[in-house]
């Protein structure tokens, strides 16, 4: 009999599970026969595949203090030591041999193999035929989920199908074309969606499992990426064979229509809605969506026990947090005014001497700025956070890494990292707001700009932005496709800030060379003798470096050496 450990591929396609894996024989000695002959253990094996669903989310935060957020124009990193993973990205020193994000390659393939093993053993699992069908559909959704992260990071990758490789197998697979990968995932998701129930059809204890809507939403994301400049004829190579692997070879507007249709299918399903509450306070629903595990907006999420995850990572020093990712002035400037107009609009009412007044309510719920109110454990009440230069503990330092801001997005302002209270939250991995933005972006690129207004208005209405006499929530009437494109990209940046999107968005739009290749902006606030403030925008102390080859991450050198048939990404 073979023990589960010896059958599992965990590093790339060729090695074995780590010692903390489910069914580790060091502690259980479980075999394939004992696991899959037992219904409870088989279901637990499926749940193990679910447990990694938020790996990109966690690797972007807690793993060595975060990675992708601080490599963009949205955040600065607290540390500058060369041993930190985030430094490798923002400094541009990542390479096939200097690749500390191995999990971006290995974790998906770990779980793809787990799925294939489950599907292979499904006929012998002692459960009913309907449950077998559902387990298979859930597993196929999860397999598509892990594959889609590989595509986002690396472009086309080897598709292993249903094959279950053994530890002794020599695996020398070439990379499939990008189009083949997308077509495979779309087919898998369509077939899984035909079997899976709606979220409302699940019992309470099964809340959070794969649903029909989750399949459709993931399909929407995959097709949006496939339509985007990086993957829609945007390969950074003159090698025709490699160009097919990393992108669709030539631009085709039809990809945008497919992405729009996929998003519209989710919108027409009636399964999801924005979490809206403008009665308690303007935009309060935007704040609460991240603090309520059960809500109508979550499509895919990571179940979590009561926790202070976000507070521990983002809170400022006086609240006991690690404040690893500090918002930049670049991100702050992206938030419009409460009337929906950009701060650069002379009619917006923006006052540079009072820059936080009358801003989009999402700003208040996303950014901790000077004199923001936030829970202080020693007072057991909300107290001001002071970020002016040389303010106690939380203040700006001219020579330090501070930006003048801390993140409040997804944090509960009534608890702190050093309090004894927890929040009953889940980690949002895909929510309905993203689907609305997917549709707006895709339909605009087809030239049907007028259809992009409705989803943006819905998001701005939920955000607490005022409608205005024209009921356009600050949007200009009759925008061109190019004008609307910039509005949608900014709306996506504001709405989805710190939700594991910005790094991938600036790459797929191919704008990273412009927006993440220089010095970010931060805010220096000087407190005057009369208790007023002077605001000075200054550059960060570190330069971000982005090179063209970084639009796709390098495949780890060790994996290319194991599989000579697998071509490396362009420029690496």
């Amino acid at each position: 009999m073979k023990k589960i450990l010896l059958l599992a591929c965990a590093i790339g396609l060729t090695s074995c599970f780590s010692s903390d894996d489910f069914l580790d024989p060091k502690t259980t000695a479980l075999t394939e026969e004992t696991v899959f002959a037992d219904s409870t253990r088989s279901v637990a094996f499926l749940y193990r595949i679910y447990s990694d669903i938020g790996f990109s989310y966690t690797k972007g935060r807690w793993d060595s203090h975060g990675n992708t957020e601080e490599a963009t124009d949205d955040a600065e990193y607290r540390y500058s030591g060369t041993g930190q993973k985030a430094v490798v990205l923002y400094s541009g020193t990542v390479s096939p041999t200097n690749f500390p994000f191995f999990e971006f390659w290995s974790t998906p393939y770990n779980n793809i193999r787990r799925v294939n093993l489950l599907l292979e053993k499904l006929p012998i699992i002692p459960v009913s035929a309907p449950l077998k069908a559902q387990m298979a559909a859930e597993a196929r959704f999860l397999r598509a989920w892990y594959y889609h992260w590989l595509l986002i990071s690396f472009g086309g990758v080897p598709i292993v199908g249903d094959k279950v490789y053994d530890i002794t197998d020599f695996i020398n697979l070439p990379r499939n074309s990008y189009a083949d990968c997308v077509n495979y995932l779309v087919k898998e998701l369509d077939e899984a969606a035909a079997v899976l129930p709606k979220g409302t059809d699940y019992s309470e204890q099964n809340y959070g499992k794969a649903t029909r809507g989750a399949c459709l939403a993931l399909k929407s994301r995959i097709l949006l990426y496939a339509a985007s400049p990086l993957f829609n004829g945007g390969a950074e190579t003159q090698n025709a064979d490699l160009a097919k692997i990393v992108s669709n070879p030539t631009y085709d507007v039809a990809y945008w229509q497919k992405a729009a249709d996929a998003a519209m299918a989710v919108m027409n399903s009636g399964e999801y809605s924005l979490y809206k509450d403008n009665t308690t306070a303007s935009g309060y629903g935007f704040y609460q969506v991240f603090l309520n595990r059960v809500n109508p907006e979550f499509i895919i999420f990571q179940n979590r026990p009561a926790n202070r995850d976000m507070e521990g990572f983002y809170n400022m020093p006086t609240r006991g947090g690690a404040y690893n990712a500090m918002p930049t002035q670049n991100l702050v400037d992206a938030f419009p005014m409460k009337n929906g107009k950009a701060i650069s609009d002379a009619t917006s009412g923006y006052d540079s001497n009072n820059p936080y007044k009358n801003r989009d309510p999402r700003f208040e719920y996303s950014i901790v700025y000077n004199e923001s109110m936030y829970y202080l454990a020693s007072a057991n009440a909300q107290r001001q956070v002071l970020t002016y230069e040389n303010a106690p503990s939380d203040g700006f330092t001219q020579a330090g890494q501070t930006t003048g801001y801390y993140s409040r997005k997804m944090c509960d302002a009534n608890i702190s990292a050093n309090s004894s209270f927890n929040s009953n939250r889940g980690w949002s991995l895909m929510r309905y707001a993203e689907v609305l933005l997917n549709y707006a972006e895709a339909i605009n690129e087809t030239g049907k700009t007028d259809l992009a207004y409705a989803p943006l208005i819905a998001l701005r209405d939920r955000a607490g932005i005022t409608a205005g006499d024209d009921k356009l929530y600050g949007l200009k009437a009759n925008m061109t496709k190019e004008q609307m494109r910039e509005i949608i990209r900014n709306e996506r940046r504001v709405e989805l800030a710190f939700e594991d999107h910005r790094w991938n968005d600036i790459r797929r739009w191919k704008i990273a060379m412009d927006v993440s290749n220089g010095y970010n902006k931060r805010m220096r606030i000087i407190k005057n003798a009369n208790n007023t403030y002077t605001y000075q925008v200054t550059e960060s102390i570190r330069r971000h470096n982005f090179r063209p080859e970084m639009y796709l991450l390098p495949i780890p050198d060790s994996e290319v050496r194991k599989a000579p048939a697998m071509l490396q990404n362009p420029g690496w």
Side-chain angles (χ1 to χ4, degrees), residues 359-381:
R359 299 296 289 272
D360 175 345
R362 288 174 296 188
F363 171 74
E364 182 80 25
Y365 299 127
S366 300
I367 308 292
V368 173
Y369 56 91
N370 190 48
E371 296 190 350
S372 287
M373 299 297 291
Y374 200 94
Y375 180 81
L376 182 66
S378 60
N380 193 27

Side-chain angles (χ1 to χ4, degrees), residues 445-475:
E445 295 298 334
T446 69
K448 303 170 187 174
T449 300
D450 58 315
L451 298 180
Y453 278 87
L456 296 182
I457 286 172
L459 287 166
R460 288 181 163 219
D461 178 30
R462 185 275 287 277
I465 288 175
T466 54
D469 293 339
D470 58 5
K471 306 299 182 184
L472 289 179
Y473 293 81
L475 299 172

Side-chain angles (χ1 to χ4, degrees), residues 151-195:
L151 262 66
I152 287 173
S153 296
F154 304 102
V157 294
I159 297 176
V160 300
D162 294 335
K163 174 71 175 177
V164 181
Y165 287 97
D166 191 89
I167 187 71
T168 59
D169 289 333
F170 172 60
I171 308 170
N172 186 26
L173 296 177
R175 298 169 67 180
N176 288 77
S177 72
Y178 184 83
D180 284 347
C181 291
V182 170
N183 292 337
Y184 169 74
L185 296 183
V186 167
K187 183 175 183 291
E188 286 287 296
L189 290 167
D190 282 343
E191 293 179 0
V195 176

Side-chain angles (χ1 to χ4, degrees), residues 12-264:
L13 298 170
T14 54
S15 297
C16 59
F17 282 139
S18 59
S19 62
D20 61 349
D21 204 342
F22 174 68
L23 305 186
D24 182 352
K26 293 180 181 178
T27 56
T28 66
L30 290 172
T31 65
E32 287 184 20
E33 289 80 1
T34 56
V35 169
F36 295 112
D38 182 277
S39 60
T40 301
R41 287 171 174 162
S42 298
V43 170
F45 189 84
L46 175 60
Y47 285 171
R48 173 61 186 86
I49 303 170
Y50 272 106
S51 70
D52 278 338
I53 198 169
F55 83 96
S56 177
Y57 199 76
T58 58
K59 294 304 174 185
R61 285 168 176 74
W62 292 281
D63 185 48
S64 289
H65 308 293
N67 303 312
T68 61
E69 291 174 356
E70 300 90 340
T72 73
D73 50 348
D74 274 2
E76 281 291 316
Y77 189 43
R78 174 183 173 187
Y79 301 100
S80 58
T82 57
Q84 308 298 337
K85 291 186 178 183
V87 177
V88 175
L89 279 187
Y90 81 66
S91 66
T93 56
V94 63
S95 73
T97 55
N98 184 27
F99 191 77
F101 317 101
F102 198 74
E103 298 88 349
F104 280 32
W105 179 265
S106 64
T107 299
Y109 275 120
N110 290 351
N111 288 285
I112 289 165
R113 191 194 184 283
R114 290 183 183 119
V115 168
N116 290 352
L117 181 59
L118 179 67
L119 294 176
E120 179 185 86
K121 300 301 180 182
L122 198 60
I124 67 171
I125 297 175
V127 296
S128 66
L131 183 54
K132 284 184 180 181
Q134 181 174 316
M135 289 176 67
E138 288 181 56
R140 292 174 73 183
F141 162 78
L142 289 166
R143 183 167 61 183
W145 177 260
Y146 291 112
Y147 265 121
H148 108 279
W149 281 117
L150 289 167
L151 262 66
I152 287 173
S153 296
F154 304 102
V157 294
I159 297 176
V160 300
D162 294 335
K163 174 71 175 177
V164 181
Y165 287 97
D166 191 89
I167 187 71
T168 59
D169 289 333
F170 172 60
I171 308 170
N172 186 26
L173 296 177
R175 298 169 67 180
N176 288 77
S177 72
Y178 184 83
D180 284 347
C181 291
V182 170
N183 292 337
Y184 169 74
L185 296 183
V186 167
K187 183 175 183 291
E188 286 287 296
L189 290 167
D190 282 343
E191 293 179 0
V195 176
L196 289 171
K198 294 181 178 181
T200 53
D201 294 335
Y202 276 124
S203 60
E204 183 178 349
Q205 61 266 34
N206 287 319
Y207 179 68
K209 295 177 70 175
T211 63
R212 181 183 311 166
C215 291
L216 298 178
L218 180 56
K219 176 181 172 181
S220 159
R221 180 188 284 180
I222 290 168
L223 289 174
L224 182 78
Y225 272 72
S228 299
L230 178 61
F231 299 109
N232 195 356
E236 293 281 334
T237 178
Q238 299 302 312
N239 182 318
D241 292 332
L242 190 54
K244 291 179 182 179
I245 290 172
V246 299
S247 74
N248 295 304
T250 57
Y251 175 82
D252 188 347
V253 71
Y255 291 122
W256 288 111
Q257 187 62 56
K258 290 179 181 179
D261 292 342
M264 181 56 73

